[in-house]
């Protein structure tokens, strides 16, 4: 019987099977940020086990609230910073070099096909775009990961999502994943890996694939995963060029992770996206999704472009295309948070930042801030936000606020008109 | 350290209660578990539920519906339960990360089939529901007034071992 990519990664990393159906895996990456790591650090210190299994496989960033907004967030940053220093964790990203973890770590070349990755952050599933098994975990799993380099998982049953056809003009990977979550429901993929394949995925950039895998957790999925291909090789080439004779050799090596033709899937979903429309969420669950037309005209107070879902260069380009030569509605506050300093700089050099600023947007430093209502764009009660983020939970961006999830192009269109708008009509 | 599980039940009759509702992100700047105590379920909007009310203060067990604990991976959610003396949740299903966080902390996330859960919910009409859990025998007993409901539950041997060990750190430390 053939294996899926997830099963191959499990087999290659299996340390222990303490009970039937429980797989303890060796970890290639343990990623850390300042919100969920400090309690793990404090517990390790309290247990007199303030050690790390391998400082080169641990990467850390301050990203959720940065620069610190108050004493409490300053203390969280300080705990992470001092811990990284005392354990010689060289890949620690602080103010000036820091960005949203799930954009920054891939950009640094830290994620490779076949890797096992955990982080104390539910959107860790993003890294599956590189053909890695990447899962969000809580602080205790993170703590054991830091100390022992292992994490326990159940058998990785997979759902195969075949994306067929071609994406129409003005429709993006964000629309695909919102539509899919609408089909699966918020627990439709619980304890499952979602494997994305088909010509639509093949044609996607790494930026677009990361948008797809980022939201696997919103259907309950453990990981979203794409098969590594030439696009993956090209993205990673600056980091792997010394390891392979040429790109063809790298591709050949990566192919060993591909799911076998006779791999077994719990469910197969064929989805033709050729007639898909831009998608927007309503209500307080990410599976409450409608085509943009059905929500057109809904008032918007704030537009937020950024986050680990859609704060990458390609996302900024798609929004800028709509905003170019236009100004945002006077009733709207526009906020752009490029996800990393590199993205910020490239957007600046391409003239994208000027387009956003000319349109009336405020440009913040890279941070998760507004997405979870922690800083840089919290909503007041009764306000609504058109956001390129991944969660529309009640109170997510501020108590009493409403979040409508959508693509960067649709969010930009909303900024221009002040109401929910189909970007293809502008 | 093996805990005892059970006590007065609080019923939250809704599916998909997420970890933002269990403990809002604005409190994630706390670096101790105890600091989370006053904020448990602060943002949960549910008819008849008052986050400041006596029902939550008296509760040691939460009984709820499907996909409890979805969303953010924040272990602050089980911690906020723990520091409020709630070491047991009974639901039809959970989000994966929340469920693992509960077991990793040595707490119980019990899954019951819909029919059993329905009977547990129905017990409320007889008065305050007291739940006791026998982990070794994998049985739940619930009493209200003169009525009683009893059923078995499934738990993976790994998750059971974590709870019996007091959590994943204790288990992993002995073994790896």
């Amino acid at each position: 019987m053939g294996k899926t990519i997830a099963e191959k990664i499990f087999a290659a990393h299996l340390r222990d099977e303490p009970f039937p159906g429980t797989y303890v895996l060796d970890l290639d990456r343990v990623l850390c940020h300042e919100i969920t790591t400090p309690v793990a650090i404090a517990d390790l210190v309290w247990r007199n086990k303030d050690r790390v299994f391998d400082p080169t496989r641990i990467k850390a960033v301050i990203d959720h609230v940065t620069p610190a907004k108050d004493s409490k967030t300053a203390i969280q940053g300080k705990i992470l910073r001092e811990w990284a220093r005392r354990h010689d964790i060289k890949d620690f990203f602080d103010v000036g070099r820091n960005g949203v973890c799930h954009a920054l770590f891939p950009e640094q070349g830290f994620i490779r096909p076949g890797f096992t990755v955990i982080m104390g952050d539910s959107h860790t599933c993003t890294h599956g775009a590189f053909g890695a098994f990447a899962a969000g975990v809580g602080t205790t799993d993170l703590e054991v990961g830091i100390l022992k380099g292992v994490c326990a998982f159940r058998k990785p049953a997979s759902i195969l999502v075949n994306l067929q056809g071609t994406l129409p003009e003005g429709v993006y990977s964000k629309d695909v994943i919102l539509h899919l979550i609408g089909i699966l429901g918020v627990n439709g993929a619980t304890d499952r890996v979602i494997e994305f394949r088909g010509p639509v995925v093949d044609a996607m950039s790494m930026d677009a694939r990361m948008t797809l895998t980022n939201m696997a957790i919103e259907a309950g999925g453990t990981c979203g995963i794409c098969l590594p291909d030439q696009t993956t090789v090209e993205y990673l080439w600056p980091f792997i060029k010394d390891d392979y004779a040429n790109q063809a050799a790298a591709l050949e090596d990566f192919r060993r992770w591909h799911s076998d033709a006779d791999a077994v899937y719990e469910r197969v979903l064929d989805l033709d996206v050729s007639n898909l429309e831009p998608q927007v969420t309503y209500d307080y669950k990410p599976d409450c999704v409608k085509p943009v037309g059905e929500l057109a005209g809904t008032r918007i107070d704030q537009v937020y472009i950024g986050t680990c879902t859609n704060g990458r260069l390609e996302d900024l380009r798609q929004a800028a295309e709509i905003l170019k030569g236009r100004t945002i509605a006077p009733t709207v506050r526009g906020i752009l948070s490029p996800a990393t300093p590199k993205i910020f700089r490239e957007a600046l050099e391409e003239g994208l930042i000027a387009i956003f600023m000319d349109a009336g947007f405020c440009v913040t430093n890279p941070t998760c801030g507004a997405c979870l209502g922690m800083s840089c764009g919290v909503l007041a009660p009764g306000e609504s936000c058109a956001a390129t983020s991944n969660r529309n939970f009640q109170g997510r961006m501020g108590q009493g606020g409403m979040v409508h999830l959508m693509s960067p192009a649709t969010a930009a269109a909303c900024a221009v008109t002040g109401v929910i708008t189909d970007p293809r009509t502008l | 350290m093996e805990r005892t599980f059970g006590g007065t039940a609080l019923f939250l009759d809704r599916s998909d209660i997420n970890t933002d509702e269990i403990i809002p992100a604005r409190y994630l700047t706390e670096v101790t578990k105890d600091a989370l105590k006053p904020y448990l379920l602060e943002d949960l909007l549910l008819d008849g539920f008052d986050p400041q009310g006596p029902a939550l203060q008296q509760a040691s067990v939460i009984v709820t519906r499907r996909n409890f604990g979805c969303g953010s991976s924040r272990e602050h959610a089980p911690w906020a339960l723990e520091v409020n003396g709630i070491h047991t949740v009974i639901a039809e299903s959970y989000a994966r990360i929340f469920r693992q966080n509960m077991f990793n902390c040595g707490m119980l996330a019990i899954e019951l089939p819909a029919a059993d859960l329905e009977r547990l919910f129905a017990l409320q009409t007889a008065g305050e529901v007291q739940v006791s859990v026998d982990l070794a025998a994998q049985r739940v007993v619930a009493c209200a007034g003169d009525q009683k409901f009893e059923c078995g539950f499934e738990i993976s041997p790994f998750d059971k071992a974590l709870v019996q060990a007091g959590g994943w750190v204790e288990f992993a430390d002995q073994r790896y």
Side-chain angles (χ1 to χ4, degrees):
Chain A
M1 195 173 72
K3 287 192 171 82
T4 62
I5 179 170
E7 287 166 343
K8 287 186 180 184
I9 297 171
F10 268 50
H13 291 80
L14 188 65
R15 163 86 73 96
D16 185 23
E17 202 178 335
F19 298 95
T22 298
Y23 304 91
V24 176
L25 306 185
D26 281 316
L27 299 171
D28 295 301
R29 290 287 178 264
V30 177
L31 310 176
C32 302
H33 65 52
E34 88 281 14
I35 298 294
T36 54
T37 316
V39 178
I41 296 169
D43 196 60
L44 288 169
V45 170
W46 177 78
R47 289 172 189 273
N48 207 16
K49 293 180 188 300
D50 182 22
R51 301 187 296 269
V52 302
F53 84 108
D54 180 350
T56 67
R57 283 191 266 178
I58 297 175
K59 316 288 177 186
V61 64
I62 297 174
D63 65 350
H64 274 57
V65 185
T66 179
K69 66 173 180 178
D70 54 18
S71 298
K72 284 183 175 176
T73 52
I75 289 166
Q76 288 181 307
K78 185 168 188 270
I79 293 170
L80 192 69
R81 186 180 297 119
E82 291 179 350
W83 171 75
R85 281 182 191 150
R86 81 176 167 264
H87 294 291
D88 205 20
I89 295 165
K90 295 215 162 49
D91 293 313
F92 168 64
F93 298 84
D94 209 335
V95 174
R97 295 174 65 227
N98 58 355
V100 177
C101 54
H102 307 307
L104 182 79
F105 291 140
E107 186 184 274
Q108 295 289 326
F110 294 156
I111 314 299
R112 309 284 170 81
F115 269 19
T116 49
V117 182
I118 64 162
M119 182 171 195
D121 190 286
S122 62
H123 293 107
T124 306
C125 49
T126 312
H127 306 285
F130 292 84
F133 175 79
V137 298
T139 291
T140 301
D141 271 336
L142 182 72
E143 182 176 337
V144 171
I146 287 168
L147 185 64
K148 304 283 182 180
V150 298
C151 193
F153 293 96
R154 294 184 181 183
K155 183 177 159 47
S158 292
I159 298 172
L160 176 59
V161 176
N162 268 315
L163 297 175
Q164 309 284 352
T166 47
L167 278 173
E169 184 82 20
V171 181
Y172 303 96
S173 63
K174 181 61 163 289
D175 301 303
V176 175
I177 190 62
L178 286 174
H179 180 60
L180 180 68
I181 293 162
I183 293 170
L184 290 171
V186 288
N187 61 348
T190 301
D191 284 315
R192 305 292 179 268
V193 172
I194 305 177
E195 186 176 317
F196 296 98
R197 277 161 63 176
V200 177
V201 183
D202 295 342
M204 280 181 182
S205 67
M206 290 312 300
D207 281 9
R209 290 178 195 181
M210 283 189 265
T211 302
L212 213 53
T213 52
N214 174 269
M215 290 190 74
I217 182 69
E218 307 314 328
T222 304
C223 181
I225 204 162
C226 301
L227 305 185
D229 63 2
Q230 181 61 26
T231 305
T232 322
V233 171
E234 283 170 19
Y235 185 102
L236 290 174
W237 190 243
F239 309 102
I240 61 173
K241 58 181 171 21
D242 295 337
D243 304 335
Y244 296 100
N246 50 44
Q247 292 196 358
L251 183 60
E252 189 52 37
D253 183 35
F254 289 173
R255 280 219 175 98
R256 73 193 146 107
W257 299 109
H258 280 207
S259 300
D260 295 324
D262 58 345
V264 178
Y265 294 90
E266 193 181 75
R267 182 177 175 189
V268 178
L269 233 138
D270 288 301
L271 212 63
D272 191 320
V273 300
S274 303
N275 295 312
L276 188 67
E277 296 190 50
Q279 305 286 306
V280 176
T281 64
Y282 61 97
D283 209 340
Y284 297 123
K285 291 198 301 162
D287 61 352
C288 296
V289 180
K290 285 180 178 173
V292 60
E294 293 183 32
L295 291 158
T298 307
R299 194 196 82 245
I300 292 296
D301 302 296
Q302 179 170 296
V303 171
Y304 174 47
I305 297 175
T307 79
C308 59
T309 320
N310 279 124
R312 299 184 185 84
L313 192 61
E314 188 174 296
D315 304 313
L316 272 51
R317 285 184 187 138
Q318 287 158 8
E321 205 175 306
I322 301 284
L323 293 171
K324 192 170 188 178
R326 295 189 168 106
T327 52
I328 65 176
T331 53
V332 165
R333 311 181 296 270
I335 298 169
L336 168 68
S337 296
T340 69
K342 180 168 180 275
I343 294 164
F344 199 148
R345 183 181 292 271
E346 286 172 353
L348 203 58
E349 286 165 359
E350 267 187 40
L352 305 178
I353 298 297
I355 293 172
F356 278 98
M357 293 185 76
D358 288 346
F361 265 75
C362 156
V363 184
T364 81
N365 64 297
T367 179
C368 309
C371 168
L372 69 167
M374 291 193 88
S375 64
C376 295
V378 180
L379 299 178
E383 289 189 330
S384 66
C385 181
T388 66
S389 54
N390 42 40
R391 287 205 172 120
N392 56 346
F393 296 158
Q394 114 81 20
R396 174 77 177 178
M397 287 186 69
Q399 252 181 326
M402 167 65 80
V403 180
H404 297 284
L405 306 175
M406 59 187 74
S407 74
T410 307
C414 295
V416 171
T417 61
V419 294
I420 291 182
T421 301
D422 187 335
R424 300 169 303 178
T425 62
L426 290 185
Chain B
M1 166 203 69
E2 197 162 340
R3 285 184 170 129
T4 55
F5 297 96
T8 308
L10 170 70
F11 290 81
L12 301 176
D13 194 1
R14 212 197 83 194
S15 290
D16 306 317
I17 291 175
N18 63 60
T19 53
D20 275 72
E21 290 170 304
I22 299 170
I23 185 79
R26 55 185 173 276
Y27 303 120
L28 301 187
T29 58
E30 301 295 345
V31 290
T32 65
K33 298 177 184 181
D34 285 326
L36 303 171
K37 196 168 192 288
Y39 312 121
L40 176 65
L41 293 164
E42 186 175 277
D43 276 3
L44 181 68
L45 300 178
L46 189 64
D47 280 348
F49 174 72
D50 175 7
Q52 308 304 333
L56 181 58
Q57 282 180 16
Q58 287 157 16
S60 302
V61 177
I62 283 178
V63 183
T64 183
R65 298 289 184 177
R66 282 188 309 277
N67 198 32
F68 187 72
C70 60
S72 161
S73 65
R74 63 189 69 161
E75 202 161 301
H76 307 68
W79 297 336
L81 295 171
E82 185 181 15
V83 296
N84 279 281
I86 299 169
H87 300 155
T88 309
V89 181
I90 301 175
E92 190 181 330
S93 63
Y94 299 89
R96 178 191 65 87
I97 304 173
F98 176 84
R99 183 191 64 213
Q100 201 58 51
N101 288 345
M102 286 287 287
F103 294 128
N104 283 351
C105 291
M107 302 203 287
L108 264 182
I110 295 174
E111 277 183 9
L112 289 186
D116 284 339
L117 197 63
E118 203 54 62
R119 290 174 62 198
L120 189 51
F121 264 91
L123 211 56
Q124 289 177 88
T125 54
E128 190 181 85
V129 178
Q130 293 291 326
V131 173
S132 62
V133 179
D134 184 339
L135 178 59
Q138 297 182 204
R139 291 199 72 77
V140 171
V141 182
C143 299
D146 57 354
Q147 292 189 35
K148 184 175 169 184
F149 167 69
E150 192 172 351
C151 69
F153 64 90
E154 298 289 323
I155 181 170
S156 84
F158 176 61
D159 295 333
K160 192 173 182 173
L162 291 185
V163 177
Q164 286 167 339
W168 172 226
V169 178
E170 287 75 4
F171 183 95
D173 206 35
Q174 286 167 23
R175 196 164 170 117
Y176 305 110

